[in-house]
Structures are given as C-alpha cells and as structure tokens.
Amino acid sequence: MRRKDVTTKSAILLIYTGGTIGMKQDVDDLTLKPFDFSQILEEVPEIGKFACKIDCHSFDPPIDSSDVEPSLWQELARLIKERYEDYDGFIILHGTDTMSYSASALSFMLDGLTKPVVFTGSQLPVGVPRTDGKENLISAVEIASAKDSEGHSEVPEVCVYFDSLLMRGNRTTKINAEVFRAFSSPNFPSLAEAGINIRYNREFIRKPNDWYQSLSINTELDTRVSILKLHPGITPQVARNVICGPETRAVIMETYGAGNAPSKKWFLDILGEAAAMDKIIVNVTQCIAGTVNMDIYANGKMLEDAGVIDGYDSTTESALAKLFYLMGKSDNNEWVRVMMGRNLKGEISK
C-alpha cells in the first residue's frame, strides 16, 4: 500500500444545516438569529490556528432539527459525495434534537467511507459567553483533520462529538436537554476523549479494508416505519393501529427490559395478524442501556415465536435509520429481517 503524504495540509468542509450552534444575538432586538457561517473565523478565531484549510457550506434557510426529514440526509450524502475528493474530513453542524437520527442515517447511507464525518452542535449559541459550541467545534476540527502515522484519517467513521466525547454516530442518543453532556453512547465505548490531549480509543474505531476505495452513497430510503412504545394499559386498538397499519411496512417495538411484552391473547393475536401481513417487527428495549434477549423470559420467547426479530442493543434512532436504508434497497421483507440481524456499520454488538 502506498503511503500518504503525512505533511499535506488537511482540508475540512464545515457544513451548517442549522441548530443552536449557529445562532447569534441580534444587537437591536436581542433575539437569536443565524449568522453567516462564512464568517465563522470571526466567531471562533481559535480554529484558524489549525494547520488546515476550512471551507463552509450553509443550508439556506437553516433547518431547525425538529424539522429534519430524510430529504436532508439525502442532500447531505450527495454533498459529501460531490466534495469527497476535495476534503480530508467533514463536520456537520446540526441541531441536537435529531442529531442521533441524522448521524445514524448517514452511517448507513455512506459506503466505503475512509474519512471522518463528525456531527456536532451545542446547547448554547456560539454568540453567548458560556457557549459550549466553541469547544465542540474546535475539537471537531482537530478530530476531523487528524491523521495517523500512515497519513490516514484517525476516525474514518460517522461520529458525534459533544462535551469532550467522540462517539460512533449510530450508537448515540440524546439524554439531556439541560446540560452540556447532551449525548450518550450507552452500549458502546467512546471513540475518543478530549482532555489536555485528544486520546483516541483505536481498538474501537472501525477501519476500512481498503483505504483507497471509492465512496458510494445510498439515497433510496423507504420510510414506512412506525414506532410503538409499549406501556401498561396499552389498548388493543392502539397496538393494532400501529402494528397493522396499512401504510406501515415495519414497526420498531420498544419493549420492557430485555425485550419483554404483554402475554395477553389479544396482543399475541395482533402479532399473528402482522405476521400474516408480512410486517417487519423489530424488538428494541426501552432501557437506555442493555440489550434485547428474547430467550431469557417466557414473555420474550413468545415474541420470538410470533416472528418478532431481535434488535440486540440498537438504539431506536439507529434501528429506524437501518430500516429506512434496508427497505430502500429491497422489497423483500425476509431479506430485510436477515440484514437487520447483521452488524453492518458497528450499530449492534454482534
């Protein structure tokens, strides 16, 4: 394998989709408004000290993270594909509410990735004194431009960086709306921790088999997925409407504990109806951490016998993105079920 020139100056594309990090207080009416990201060095001059070239691309108008749709993921994938040869890394500034959904989606949509795609944002706008946005952005730039001794990217994955932790994107979930540590990766170790130095946990970072492969993108997504969170008192009508809905191809069922659900006859009958309709049903635990194991308890075993498939330790966000991706690739539901059980992009511990 030929060596890369480790002395080459890195080039980073900073993509601003929207979110709190890009807000600045208006001097006249004191409201928070998006600022021009082409002037990012004026707001965060520290990133100008890195030995790398930073270009900016802003979505106009900016997208509030609550308004994020799969069309944004498709646009991001196409943008990264178009600019892939021009840059060594990509930073996506994104609102926090749906960041884990977007990071999960991009992890499946980008095949052959050999460069970092780092999502970050902030809980407070860059333009306020106590912002967390500056540190998040500064560290994201350092990570996105970091190369190993062979000249390869240190972290060639889709990641989320927040409050000193770099996490695999499809392992993250937002856990807090009020503190700077807004995200957690409950079932997989962090890929790096930023302190005085950035310490990379290289044993957990996915590396490509071929550093010189071409990037390909998957933009065909089938979004006919519903999410059913089980709860005491759930009615047959609610469960049937979600699981057997005519426009629903797949259901993510958030179950109790290690993958348990009610054993009532009406519930099992609904699962039988769903199986007869060839619905894809994925079992994901409601717990923040842990994994589904339908072989532990009788209630879990009944789900397995009814054709419900194991989501292992996947987050709901990742399971949703994975279903969108797989169903977009094939109309064969049995193939989708098989592929949901495979670890494609480090999203499950299997």
Side-chain angles (χ1 to χ4, degrees):
M1 180 182 291
R2 59 189 172 88
R3 291 173 63 93
K4 290 187 176 182
D5 183 358
V6 297
T7 64
T8 302
K9 185 176 181 180
S10 293
I12 304 298
L13 182 61
L14 186 64
I15 304 169
Y16 176 59
T17 66
T20 300
I21 193 170
M23 299 294 176
K24 185 178 180 181
Q25 195 171 54
D26 187 282
V27 294
D28 297 321
D29 60 17
L30 303 183
T31 60
L32 292 174
K33 297 178 180 178
F35 67 83
D36 182 356
F37 252 85
S38 64
Q39 308 299 318
I40 185 62
L41 283 176
E42 294 180 10
E43 300 298 327
V44 191
E46 294 87 346
I47 64 174
K49 298 179 181 179
F50 288 106
C52 62
K53 172 189 174 186
I54 300 175
D55 293 331
C56 297
H57 177 95
S58 296
F59 280 67
D60 187 16
I63 301 169
D64 186 283
S65 62
S66 298
D67 289 323
V68 163
E69 296 283 347
S71 58
L72 171 67
W73 308 336
Q74 293 164 331
E75 192 169 349
L76 284 170
R78 285 190 287 263
L79 175 62
I80 291 171
K81 172 66 174 175
E82 290 168 4
R83 311 297 290 275
Y84 196 68
E85 297 304 320
D86 299 328
Y87 295 96
D88 298 285
F90 301 84
I91 298 172
I92 300 176
L93 302 178
H94 193 291
T96 59
D97 287 347
T98 54
M99 186 183 293
S100 289
Y101 289 97
S102 295
S104 295
L106 264 291
S107 75
F108 295 110
M109 295 171 72
L110 302 176
D111 279 335
L113 189 65
T114 61
K115 301 175 182 181
V117 176
V118 183
F119 281 79
T120 194
S122 66
Q123 296 286 66
L124 288 174
V126 163
V128 302
R130 293 186 55 252
T131 183
D132 56 326
K134 286 189 176 183
E135 192 281 322
N136 286 345
L137 178 54
I138 291 166
S139 293
V141 169
E142 183 168 350
I143 290 165
S145 60
K147 296 179 181 180
D148 63 19
S149 59
E150 296 292 321
H152 303 307
S153 297
E154 282 281 11
V155 191
E157 291 200 40
V158 178
C159 312
V160 169
Y161 180 84
F162 228 88
D163 192 40
S164 79
L165 292 180
L166 182 72
M167 298 159 279
R168 178 169 297 155
N170 59 32
R171 290 289 195 153
T172 62
T173 189
K174 186 176 180 181
I175 59 168
N176 202 308
E178 296 184 346
V179 301
F180 288 150
R181 183 149 294 181
F183 290 88
S184 175
S185 175
N187 288 321
F188 196 77
S190 59
L191 304 182
E193 292 100 31
I196 295 175
N197 298 301
I198 295 179
R199 180 171 63 86
Y200 294 95
N201 299 320
R202 294 182 176 87
E203 66 271 29
F204 301 124
I205 298 171
R206 287 170 61 89
K207 302 288 187 178
N209 293 324
D210 179 6
W211 282 101
Y212 303 101
Q213 63 191 323
S214 298
L215 179 75
S216 61
I217 60 175
N218 304 277
T219 56
E220 294 295 325
L221 303 175
D222 185 343
T223 63
R224 291 176 292 165
V225 181
S226 296
I227 300 174
L228 176 67
K229 183 167 186 173
L230 298 181
H231 58 84
I234 191 170
T235 65
Q237 293 80 7
V238 168
R240 180 175 285 106
N241 288 342
V242 176
I243 295 174
C244 298
E247 299 302 319
T248 297
R249 184 178 170 192
V251 177
I252 297 169
M253 189 162 61
E254 293 188 346
T255 55
Y256 306 127
N260 301 310
S263 60
K264 292 183 172 65
K265 182 178 182 301
W266 65 259
F267 187 74
L268 296 176
D269 286 344
I270 290 172
L271 293 180
E273 291 177 36
M277 300 170 71
D278 197 28
K279 302 288 188 182
I280 303 165
I281 304 179
V282 182
N283 188 346
V284 172
T285 178
Q286 295 180 13
C287 298
I288 294 295
T291 188
V292 165
N293 186 341
M294 292 186 284
D295 293 325
I296 297 178
Y297 298 102
N299 285 32
K301 185 63 176 174
M302 285 186 292
L303 297 182
E304 188 175 35
D305 293 341
V308 175
I309 60 176
D310 199 328
Y312 301 95
D313 58 350
S314 174
T315 64
T316 295
E317 296 94 328
S318 182
L320 184 77
K322 190 174 180 179
L323 282 168
F324 284 2
Y325 161 73
L326 291 174
M327 296 192 322
K329 292 177 75 70
S330 176
D331 293 328
N332 186 326
N333 285 359
E334 187 54 36
W335 178 84
V336 173
R337 292 185 185 95
V338 171
M339 296 303 291
M340 283 297 294
R342 295 184 183 176
N343 181 18
L344 303 179
K345 297 294 179 74
E347 74 280 0
I348 55 177
S349 300
K350 187 183 178 187

